[in-house]
Amino acid sequence: MDHLDQRLLNEFQQDFPLESRPYAVLGERLGLDEDEVMDRLARLTRGGSVSRVGAVFRPHTVGGSTLAAMAVPDHRLEEVADLVNAFPEVNHNYQREHRLNLWFVVTAPSKARVAEVLAEISQSAGIEVLDLPLLEHFHIDLGFDLKWS
Amino acid sequence: MELSDRDHALVSALAEGLPLVSHPYRAVGAQLGMDEAEVIGRIQAMRDGGVIRRFGIIVRHHELGFKANAMSVWSIPDAVVSEVGRRLGDAPEVTLCYRRPPRLPDWPYNLFCMIHGRDRAAVEEIVAGLVRRFDLGAYPHAVLFSTRRFKQTGARYGRPIPRAAAAE
């Protein structure tokens, strides 16, 4: 990864150009042409550094979401994680160091669907699911400073 | 801001990310029966209206060398939790900061911060620094490092556009 990749990743996490040819606008700022910008983004996406060029939505404005936690016996962790992952509404799923060891985020077009997903997971796994919906958010999301230096 | 069916359809189409083509907004619109100006206008309005908090390149921390992430949680009295949350949310080393309900007896914590760092020691140092700086030592606290990532994708909030609306 060279210096231009690093700038590409760090400088365009917000206020992405809403213009007809946004990658050309990025290119002007970086001294690259449009194709080079798209090639770099394609390569960084393939390599996993870039998830996508897209939007982060404010929770609860375009549907429902929640954070859920389960206490899964160690020997069932993979099985239950697979069961959770199978729902397209689950977009993050992590094992964490705690008695409550499986943590996942559910997002759906409606709050009712979020509740349904939690109930289905709880029922299939036979394990209680804690529902920890967001009550207040405090962080202004400006992206993530990669602090390359 | 109230979202229309066409906004929801656009949200759904954007879940995969903007395509890497010369005119990406036009390409997204072509799937939805919208022209480029409508796509740009709707994204702009959702951004201005606060529905979209951020529009841009979404990176993956782990792949970029931020191998450690911890959910750092505190149990803070209701009277002061919002004020503490605002201060923590403004700290540059905090990636996300939310208040959520406690679930007794299993889970007493009501304030959640995500912290990313190059390794575990770096994250522990950040958390210790937050505790000192914001005087959090008296509150019950836990740090839940993630040990395995089973899934990480973009949120799927949107609804596919109804056919009739697409043809409008």
Side-chain angles (χ1 to χ4, degrees), chain A residues 28-47:
Chain A
E28 278 168 33
R29 303 245 299 262
L30 296 171
L32 297 170
D33 69 31
E34 184 184 37
D35 283 337
E36 287 170 320
V37 170
M38 291 192 290
D39 287 348
R40 280 172 185 262
L41 280 173
R43 174 169 48 75
L44 291 165
T45 304
R46 273 197 310 276

PDB file of all heavy atoms in Angstrom, chain A residues 28-47:
ATOM      1  N   GLU A  28      -8.621  14.208  -9.120  1.00  0.00           N
ATOM      2  CA  GLU A  28      -8.067  15.574  -9.180  1.00  0.00           C
ATOM      3  C   GLU A  28      -7.366  15.937  -7.884  1.00  0.00           C
ATOM      4  O   GLU A  28      -6.317  16.575  -7.880  1.00  0.00           O
ATOM      5  CB  GLU A  28      -9.191  16.597  -9.414  1.00  0.00           C
ATOM      6  CG  GLU A  28      -9.611  16.728 -10.864  1.00  0.00           C
ATOM      7  CD  GLU A  28     -10.905  17.525 -10.989  1.00  0.00           C
ATOM      8  OE1 GLU A  28     -11.119  18.446 -10.157  1.00  0.00           O
ATOM      9  OE2 GLU A  28     -11.696  17.207 -11.896  1.00  0.00           O
ATOM     10  N   ARG A  29      -7.958  15.499  -6.775  1.00  0.00           N
ATOM     11  CA  ARG A  29      -7.360  15.848  -5.484  1.00  0.00           C
ATOM     12  C   ARG A  29      -6.059  15.069  -5.237  1.00  0.00           C
ATOM     13  O   ARG A  29      -5.176  15.522  -4.527  1.00  0.00           O
ATOM     14  CB  ARG A  29      -8.349  15.558  -4.351  1.00  0.00           C
ATOM     15  CG  ARG A  29      -9.674  16.290  -4.502  1.00  0.00           C
ATOM     16  CD  ARG A  29      -9.916  17.317  -3.409  1.00  0.00           C
ATOM     17  NE  ARG A  29      -9.963  16.729  -2.091  1.00  0.00           N
ATOM     18  CZ  ARG A  29     -11.096  16.412  -1.436  1.00  0.00           C
ATOM     19  NH1 ARG A  29     -12.266  16.618  -2.007  1.00  0.00           N
ATOM     20  NH2 ARG A  29     -11.036  15.916  -0.236  1.00  0.00           N
ATOM     21  N   LEU A  30      -5.965  13.872  -5.834  1.00  0.00           N
ATOM     22  CA  LEU A  30      -4.800  13.014  -5.568  1.00  0.00           C
ATOM     23  C   LEU A  30      -3.777  13.033  -6.699  1.00  0.00           C
ATOM     24  O   LEU A  30      -2.725  12.422  -6.585  1.00  0.00           O
ATOM     25  CB  LEU A  30      -5.277  11.561  -5.363  1.00  0.00           C
ATOM     26  CG  LEU A  30      -6.183  11.309  -4.154  1.00  0.00           C
ATOM     27  CD1 LEU A  30      -6.748   9.891  -4.195  1.00  0.00           C
ATOM     28  CD2 LEU A  30      -5.423  11.526  -2.850  1.00  0.00           C
ATOM     29  N   GLY A  31      -4.092  13.711  -7.793  1.00  0.00           N
ATOM     30  CA  GLY A  31      -3.195  13.698  -8.941  1.00  0.00           C
ATOM     31  C   GLY A  31      -3.240  12.378  -9.708  1.00  0.00           C
ATOM     32  O   GLY A  31      -2.230  11.937 -10.255  1.00  0.00           O
ATOM     33  N   LEU A  32      -4.405  11.747  -9.731  1.00  0.00           N
ATOM     34  CA  LEU A  32      -4.575  10.496 -10.476  1.00  0.00           C
ATOM     35  C   LEU A  32      -5.685  10.698 -11.486  1.00  0.00           C
ATOM     36  O   LEU A  32      -6.524  11.580 -11.318  1.00  0.00           O
ATOM     37  CB  LEU A  32      -5.000   9.356  -9.525  1.00  0.00           C
ATOM     38  CG  LEU A  32      -4.031   8.944  -8.430  1.00  0.00           C
ATOM     39  CD1 LEU A  32      -4.719   7.990  -7.457  1.00  0.00           C
ATOM     40  CD2 LEU A  32      -2.806   8.277  -9.048  1.00  0.00           C
ATOM     41  N   ASP A  33      -5.729   9.855 -12.515  1.00  0.00           N
ATOM     42  CA  ASP A  33      -6.914   9.960 -13.363  1.00  0.00           C
ATOM     43  C   ASP A  33      -8.010   9.033 -12.822  1.00  0.00           C
ATOM     44  O   ASP A  33      -7.788   8.220 -11.930  1.00  0.00           O
ATOM     45  CB  ASP A  33      -6.581   9.771 -14.853  1.00  0.00           C
ATOM     46  CG  ASP A  33      -6.163   8.361 -15.189  1.00  0.00           C
ATOM     47  OD1 ASP A  33      -6.648   7.425 -14.511  1.00  0.00           O
ATOM     48  OD2 ASP A  33      -5.355   8.183 -16.122  1.00  0.00           O
ATOM     49  N   GLU A  34      -9.202   9.212 -13.387  1.00  0.00           N
ATOM     50  CA  GLU A  34     -10.376   8.509 -12.873  1.00  0.00           C
ATOM     51  C   GLU A  34     -10.181   6.990 -12.833  1.00  0.00           C
ATOM     52  O   GLU A  34     -10.517   6.330 -11.842  1.00  0.00           O
ATOM     53  CB  GLU A  34     -11.562   8.872 -13.771  1.00  0.00           C
ATOM     54  CG  GLU A  34     -12.880   8.333 -13.352  1.00  0.00           C
ATOM     55  CD  GLU A  34     -13.965   8.688 -14.373  1.00  0.00           C
ATOM     56  OE1 GLU A  34     -13.669   8.683 -15.589  1.00  0.00           O
ATOM     57  OE2 GLU A  34     -15.099   8.977 -13.957  1.00  0.00           O
ATOM     58  N   ASP A  35      -9.618   6.438 -13.930  1.00  0.00           N
ATOM     59  CA  ASP A  35      -9.434   4.982 -13.990  1.00  0.00           C
ATOM     60  C   ASP A  35      -8.490   4.483 -12.904  1.00  0.00           C
ATOM     61  O   ASP A  35      -8.705   3.423 -12.319  1.00  0.00           O
ATOM     62  CB  ASP A  35      -8.874   4.560 -15.357  1.00  0.00           C
ATOM     63  CG  ASP A  35      -9.960   4.580 -16.423  1.00  0.00           C
ATOM     64  OD1 ASP A  35     -11.147   4.479 -16.047  1.00  0.00           O
ATOM     65  OD2 ASP A  35      -9.615   4.705 -17.610  1.00  0.00           O
ATOM     66  N   GLU A  36      -7.446   5.274 -12.649  1.00  0.00           N
ATOM     67  CA  GLU A  36      -6.504   4.847 -11.601  1.00  0.00           C
ATOM     68  C   GLU A  36      -7.187   4.816 -10.232  1.00  0.00           C
ATOM     69  O   GLU A  36      -6.934   3.925  -9.415  1.00  0.00           O
ATOM     70  CB  GLU A  36      -5.295   5.797 -11.552  1.00  0.00           C
ATOM     71  CG  GLU A  36      -4.351   5.629 -12.721  1.00  0.00           C
ATOM     72  CD  GLU A  36      -3.304   6.743 -12.779  1.00  0.00           C
ATOM     73  OE1 GLU A  36      -3.620   7.923 -12.525  1.00  0.00           O
ATOM     74  OE2 GLU A  36      -2.142   6.407 -13.085  1.00  0.00           O
ATOM     75  N   VAL A  37      -8.053   5.795  -9.980  1.00  0.00           N
ATOM     76  CA  VAL A  37      -8.775   5.824  -8.701  1.00  0.00           C
ATOM     77  C   VAL A  37      -9.660   4.582  -8.591  1.00  0.00           C
ATOM     78  O   VAL A  37      -9.663   3.882  -7.571  1.00  0.00           O
ATOM     79  CB  VAL A  37      -9.622   7.106  -8.564  1.00  0.00           C
ATOM     80  CG1 VAL A  37     -10.555   7.022  -7.356  1.00  0.00           C
ATOM     81  CG2 VAL A  37      -8.717   8.329  -8.453  1.00  0.00           C
ATOM     82  N   MET A  38     -10.396   4.291  -9.651  1.00  0.00           N
ATOM     83  CA  MET A  38     -11.294   3.125  -9.608  1.00  0.00           C
ATOM     84  C   MET A  38     -10.491   1.834  -9.472  1.00  0.00           C
ATOM     85  O   MET A  38     -10.888   0.932  -8.720  1.00  0.00           O
ATOM     86  CB  MET A  38     -12.189   3.096 -10.852  1.00  0.00           C
ATOM     87  CG  MET A  38     -13.213   4.240 -10.838  1.00  0.00           C
ATOM     88  SD  MET A  38     -14.511   4.051 -12.083  1.00  0.00           S
ATOM     89  CE  MET A  38     -13.608   4.324 -13.589  1.00  0.00           C
ATOM     90  N   ASP A  39      -9.343   1.741 -10.168  1.00  0.00           N
ATOM     91  CA  ASP A  39      -8.506   0.539 -10.056  1.00  0.00           C
ATOM     92  C   ASP A  39      -8.001   0.361  -8.630  1.00  0.00           C
ATOM     93  O   ASP A  39      -7.991  -0.748  -8.094  1.00  0.00           O
ATOM     94  CB  ASP A  39      -7.297   0.626 -11.007  1.00  0.00           C
ATOM     95  CG  ASP A  39      -7.702   0.444 -12.460  1.00  0.00           C
ATOM     96  OD1 ASP A  39      -8.866   0.029 -12.694  1.00  0.00           O
ATOM     97  OD2 ASP A  39      -6.874   0.730 -13.345  1.00  0.00           O
ATOM     98  N   ARG A  40      -7.550   1.470  -8.041  1.00  0.00           N
ATOM     99  CA  ARG A  40      -7.058   1.378  -6.660  1.00  0.00           C
ATOM    100  C   ARG A  40      -8.177   0.955  -5.710  1.00  0.00           C
ATOM    101  O   ARG A  40      -7.972   0.110  -4.838  1.00  0.00           O
ATOM    102  CB  ARG A  40      -6.471   2.722  -6.206  1.00  0.00           C
ATOM    103  CG  ARG A  40      -5.062   2.953  -6.717  1.00  0.00           C
ATOM    104  CD  ARG A  40      -4.592   4.373  -6.415  1.00  0.00           C
ATOM    105  NE  ARG A  40      -3.287   4.601  -7.021  1.00  0.00           N
ATOM    106  CZ  ARG A  40      -2.119   4.495  -6.360  1.00  0.00           C
ATOM    107  NH1 ARG A  40      -2.114   4.193  -5.079  1.00  0.00           N
ATOM    108  NH2 ARG A  40      -0.973   4.707  -6.983  1.00  0.00           N
ATOM    109  N   LEU A  41      -9.354   1.545  -5.873  1.00  0.00           N
ATOM    110  CA  LEU A  41     -10.466   1.182  -4.977  1.00  0.00           C
ATOM    111  C   LEU A  41     -10.871  -0.280  -5.172  1.00  0.00           C
ATOM    112  O   LEU A  41     -11.183  -0.977  -4.206  1.00  0.00           O
ATOM    113  CB  LEU A  41     -11.669   2.098  -5.208  1.00  0.00           C
ATOM    114  CG  LEU A  41     -11.560   3.466  -4.530  1.00  0.00           C
ATOM    115  CD1 LEU A  41     -12.720   4.369  -4.965  1.00  0.00           C
ATOM    116  CD2 LEU A  41     -11.557   3.335  -3.007  1.00  0.00           C
ATOM    117  N   ALA A  42     -10.834  -0.740  -6.411  1.00  0.00           N
ATOM    118  CA  ALA A  42     -11.170  -2.147  -6.675  1.00  0.00           C
ATOM    119  C   ALA A  42     -10.159  -3.065  -5.993  1.00  0.00           C
ATOM    120  O   ALA A  42     -10.519  -4.058  -5.364  1.00  0.00           O
ATOM    121  CB  ALA A  42     -11.204  -2.400  -8.178  1.00  0.00           C
ATOM    122  N   ARG A  43      -8.888  -2.688  -6.105  1.00  0.00           N
ATOM    123  CA  ARG A  43      -7.840  -3.513  -5.485  1.00  0.00           C
ATOM    124  C   ARG A  43      -7.981  -3.503  -3.963  1.00  0.00           C
ATOM    125  O   ARG A  43      -7.882  -4.539  -3.296  1.00  0.00           O
ATOM    126  CB  ARG A  43      -6.459  -2.981  -5.910  1.00  0.00           C
ATOM    127  CG  ARG A  43      -5.299  -3.666  -5.226  1.00  0.00           C
ATOM    128  CD  ARG A  43      -3.936  -3.308  -5.851  1.00  0.00           C
ATOM    129  NE  ARG A  43      -3.738  -1.874  -6.063  1.00  0.00           N
ATOM    130  CZ  ARG A  43      -3.466  -1.009  -5.085  1.00  0.00           C
ATOM    131  NH1 ARG A  43      -3.385  -1.409  -3.825  1.00  0.00           N
ATOM    132  NH2 ARG A  43      -3.283   0.268  -5.368  1.00  0.00           N
ATOM    133  N   LEU A  44      -8.240  -2.331  -3.377  1.00  0.00           N
ATOM    134  CA  LEU A  44      -8.368  -2.230  -1.915  1.00  0.00           C
ATOM    135  C   LEU A  44      -9.623  -2.959  -1.423  1.00  0.00           C
ATOM    136  O   LEU A  44      -9.642  -3.486  -0.308  1.00  0.00           O
ATOM    137  CB  LEU A  44      -8.400  -0.754  -1.491  1.00  0.00           C
ATOM    138  CG  LEU A  44      -7.069  -0.005  -1.687  1.00  0.00           C
ATOM    139  CD1 LEU A  44      -7.274   1.503  -1.595  1.00  0.00           C
ATOM    140  CD2 LEU A  44      -6.037  -0.462  -0.662  1.00  0.00           C
ATOM    141  N   THR A  45     -10.646  -2.994  -2.267  1.00  0.00           N
ATOM    142  CA  THR A  45     -11.857  -3.728  -1.894  1.00  0.00           C
ATOM    143  C   THR A  45     -11.585  -5.232  -1.933  1.00  0.00           C
ATOM    144  O   THR A  45     -11.944  -5.966  -1.016  1.00  0.00           O
ATOM    145  CB  THR A  45     -13.015  -3.374  -2.853  1.00  0.00           C
ATOM    146  OG1 THR A  45     -13.195  -1.948  -2.827  1.00  0.00           O
ATOM    147  CG2 THR A  45     -14.319  -4.033  -2.426  1.00  0.00           C
ATOM    148  N   ARG A  46     -10.921  -5.666  -3.014  1.00  0.00           N
ATOM    149  CA  ARG A  46     -10.570  -7.099  -3.110  1.00  0.00           C
ATOM    150  C   ARG A  46      -9.698  -7.529  -1.937  1.00  0.00           C
ATOM    151  O   ARG A  46      -9.879  -8.595  -1.378  1.00  0.00           O
ATOM    152  CB  ARG A  46      -9.793  -7.372  -4.409  1.00  0.00           C
ATOM    153  CG  ARG A  46     -10.654  -7.655  -5.608  1.00  0.00           C
ATOM    154  CD  ARG A  46      -9.834  -8.328  -6.723  1.00  0.00           C
ATOM    155  NE  ARG A  46      -8.578  -7.642  -7.040  1.00  0.00           N
ATOM    156  CZ  ARG A  46      -8.479  -6.605  -7.865  1.00  0.00           C
ATOM    157  NH1 ARG A  46      -9.547  -6.136  -8.474  1.00  0.00           N
ATOM    158  NH2 ARG A  46      -7.319  -6.042  -8.089  1.00  0.00           N
ATOM    159  N   GLY A  47      -8.769  -6.664  -1.554  1.00  0.00           N
ATOM    160  CA  GLY A  47      -7.859  -6.978  -0.448  1.00  0.00           C
ATOM    161  C   GLY A  47      -8.515  -6.892   0.919  1.00  0.00           C
ATOM    162  O   GLY A  47      -7.923  -7.285   1.914  1.00  0.00           O
TER     163      GLY A  47
END
